Amino acid sequence: MVQSATSGPRPSWWRALAALIAGGLPAPVFPAPGWWWWAPFCLVPWLLLLRTAPTARRAALEGWFGGLGFMLAVHHWLLPSLHVFTLVLAALLGLAWAPWGMLARALLAGPGTAWRAVTALAGVASGWLVIELVRSWQGLGGPWGLLGASQWQVGAALRLFPVGGVWLVSLLLVAVNAALVVMATSPRARGATLAAGAAVAALATGAAAAAPRPVPADRPARIAVVQPGVISGAAQRFDRQERLTAGLAGRGAELVVWGESSVGFNLAARPDLADRLAALSRRTGAELLVNVDARRQGRPGISKTSVLVGASGPVGPRYDKMRLVPFGEYVPARSLLGWATSVGRAADEDRDPGTRQVLTETSGGLRAGPLVCFETAFPDLSRRLARAGAGLIVAQSSTSTFQRSWAPAQHASLAAVRAAESGRPVVHATLTGVSAVFDASGRPVGPRLGTDRSTAALYEPRPASGSTLYVRFGDWAVYAAVAWLVVAGGVVAGGVVAGGVVAVRRVRGRGDG
């Protein structure tokens, strides 16, 4: 039979386009738009599309296209720097959602029984969390745009971050999205879905209420943040920061924090600058935590180093940035991907990563754990600092390359998540904004310095001690998700094998008869 030109199968291009758009829908939940309320619904269109995919192969393709849309939307601010390479990276990383597409179709398209509904919620959420874990590897771009991080200013989430970190909040958000799909498409499973949701909500509420809380110090620390604003030239930036810091004299600061790359010269090779910093320390009565972005004498390469400077000069251990920004500070597999430098502003030279975290201690006994820029996206680094005894965490950052994008606001919001997870105040000091300080529960302290500010501001966060559940047990939510997928996969495989054995026996029995 010959089909007419108009009676053939419907073209599938519209589904691919719909997947691309649906994958980008979660992007506004992050700053700058900050539509946190959209997070429990943002995956519903994508999941509904995957549920109706005609084949598993088609679901994998739509999972990939949705992942491409997600990565492009969440990282769109990289386009001016990486140009077409942004699309290449998004397409490669988007592949992580291909198996998730097949998983979502398998779990959501089946009969609407109570057991299948509960399985769907756990499976879809666990699969998403594994993707977040995989793409959180530094070489794949790091944990930027984790869904749970969008809830940085939501009270309920701030109480859950200390329990299971950003991972737990991501897990619950995806489960809510999946529950809405189940309730909309499987009326018989609505009761079981609501019951499962109520049980999880009660368990999460109880865990948050019973979890240990950080113990704040008796008195607040007085921390000053110096944000010079947009200035071209390392010497001019140093001069502006010097003037702003001098204005802090007599205000009782005990630590003054400059942003990432605030000193563009090797202090050992420029003793005049080291002397000027020491003079500032004497004038303000506070140590200065600066960040040196320069080539060191006797060592190849360039390092980004946090240096504490006191009245007599640099003191204590230095911290070299460990987690470097892919393409911004080094090119992964440069022999293969080095062409990225010809199409965008990728690093011409790889910077040297540090090998260990350190604590710095002021003369007044304040123990601070330094992080540099991109590192505030990694939950494990702030957790380690809390375990090592840091009273607060200081993040030195710069997003001046992306000044007019969503990046500065989103980067600052990560400090709130890290504060709540670790139970330690976080001071997020930048060159050009957004600078902000959050207390040990993740709530803001003092003014937020936007990208239009050039100033020095004083904050009074209370250093904290003690451990949160996340500090004690780490990424347990991720391990639980992986374990669930392994066990569920084993059960399904076992069922398939058992069914095959039964079928073979039946065939043999008929043959014997």
Side-chain angles (χ1 to χ4, degrees), residues 41 63-64 156 167 178 199 205 211 280 291 314 339 355 377 386 406 411 443:
F41 313 95
W64 177 27
W167 313 109
T205 302
L280 281 176
N291 189 267
W339 60 273
T355 57
W406 292 2
H411 197 184
R443 300 190 181 277

Side-chain angles (χ1 to χ4, degrees), residues 323-410:
R323 306 272 172 89
L324 302 178
V325 180
F327 299 98
E329 294 171 332
Y330 79 105
V331 176
R334 185 176 284 273
S335 60
L336 179 65
L337 301 176
W339 60 273
T341 60
S342 63
V343 298
R345 290 181 286 182
D348 291 325
E349 177 183 0
D350 292 349
R351 280 175 164 75
D352 281 346
T355 57
R356 65 187 182 93
Q357 291 185 267
V358 304
L359 296 182
T360 60
E361 187 168 356
T362 68
S363 57
L366 178 63
R367 303 187 77 192
L371 296 174
V372 183
C373 198
F374 180 56
E375 294 182 324
T376 60
F378 293 87
D380 64 305
L381 293 181
S382 52
R383 175 175 172 253
R384 290 176 190 171
L385 290 173
R387 289 173 66 93
L392 61 82
I393 295 167
V394 178
Q396 298 173 293
S397 180
S398 172
T399 50
S400 53
T401 303
F402 313 105
Q403 189 73 356
R404 298 185 183 278
S405 72
W406 292 2
Q410 188 171 350

Side-chain angles (χ1 to χ4, degrees), residues 259-274:
E260 179 189 22
S261 305
S262 48
V263 178
F265 307 94
N266 178 9
L267 292 178
R270 291 290 306 270
D272 58 317
L273 297 183

Side-chain angles (χ1 to χ4, degrees), residues 48-356:
L48 287 171
L49 188 71
L50 294 172
R51 179 184 178 275
T52 59
T55 64
R57 181 178 178 182
R58 187 72 206 183
L61 182 64
E62 290 167 6
W64 177 27
F65 270 72
L68 168 63
F70 179 87
M71 296 303 294
L72 281 177
V74 173
H75 297 83
H76 69 276
W77 43 271
L78 287 173
L79 282 167
S81 295
L82 295 181
H83 304 304
V84 69
F85 202 73
T86 307
L87 180 61
V88 175
L89 289 174
L92 290 174
L93 293 174
L95 284 169
W97 277 272
W100 183 74
M102 291 190 292
L103 177 66
R105 175 183 179 272
L107 293 174
L108 295 172
T113 62
W115 171 246
R116 192 156 188 111
V118 174
T119 303
L121 305 192
V124 171
S126 295
W128 180 278
L129 202 62
V130 169
I131 296 171
E132 289 199 337
L133 174 67
V134 169
R135 71 182 184 86
S136 291
W137 181 50
Q138 177 193 348
L140 293 180
W144 188 274
L146 302 185
L147 193 60
S150 67
Q151 306 300 292
W152 65 279
Q153 54 187 339
V154 179
L158 290 175
R159 290 188 288 274
L160 288 174
F161 288 133
V163 176
V166 66
W167 313 109
L168 177 60
V169 179
S170 283
L171 189 72
L172 295 176
L173 285 173
V174 180
V176 171
N177 278 270
L180 293 175
V181 172
V182 170
M183 293 178 65
T185 59
S186 303
R188 288 190 302 166
R190 286 174 184 168
T193 304
L194 287 172
V200 171
L203 184 61
T205 302
R213 301 179 184 277
V215 180
D218 292 335
R219 68 175 186 86
R222 294 180 64 82
I223 313 292
V225 169
V226 174
Q227 180 176 297
V230 179
I231 300 173
S232 59
Q236 292 83 351
R237 181 183 301 115
F238 190 98
D239 292 343
R240 172 74 63 82
Q241 292 167 133
E242 186 178 36
R243 290 194 298 272
L244 292 172
T245 303
L248 295 167
R251 298 183 62 184
E254 54 189 295
L255 178 65
V256 178
V257 184
W258 289 13
E260 179 189 22
S261 305
S262 48
V263 178
F265 307 94
N266 178 9
L267 292 178
R270 291 290 306 270
D272 58 317
L273 297 183
D275 289 343
R276 287 165 66 179
L277 291 171
L280 281 176
S281 177
R282 293 191 296 269
R283 183 171 181 177
T284 59
E287 279 97 345
L288 278 63
L289 186 68
V290 301
N291 189 267
V292 177
D293 186 357
R295 196 179 305 277
R296 290 188 193 172
Q297 290 178 320
R299 284 184 55 178
I302 300 173
S303 299
K304 289 193 175 183
T305 307
S306 299
V307 181
L308 188 67
V309 181
S312 58
V315 296
R318 302 179 178 214
Y319 173 64
D320 292 331
K321 184 178 183 180
M322 295 170 58
R323 306 272 172 89
L324 302 178
V325 180
F327 299 98
E329 294 171 332
Y330 79 105
V331 176
R334 185 176 284 273
S335 60
L336 179 65
L337 301 176
W339 60 273
T341 60
S342 63
V343 298
R345 290 181 286 182
D348 291 325
E349 177 183 0
D350 292 349
R351 280 175 164 75
D352 281 346
T355 57
R356 65 187 182 93

Side-chain angles (χ1 to χ4, degrees), residues 435-446:
S435 297
V437 177
F438 300 91
D439 67 16
S441 66
R443 300 190 181 277
V445 176

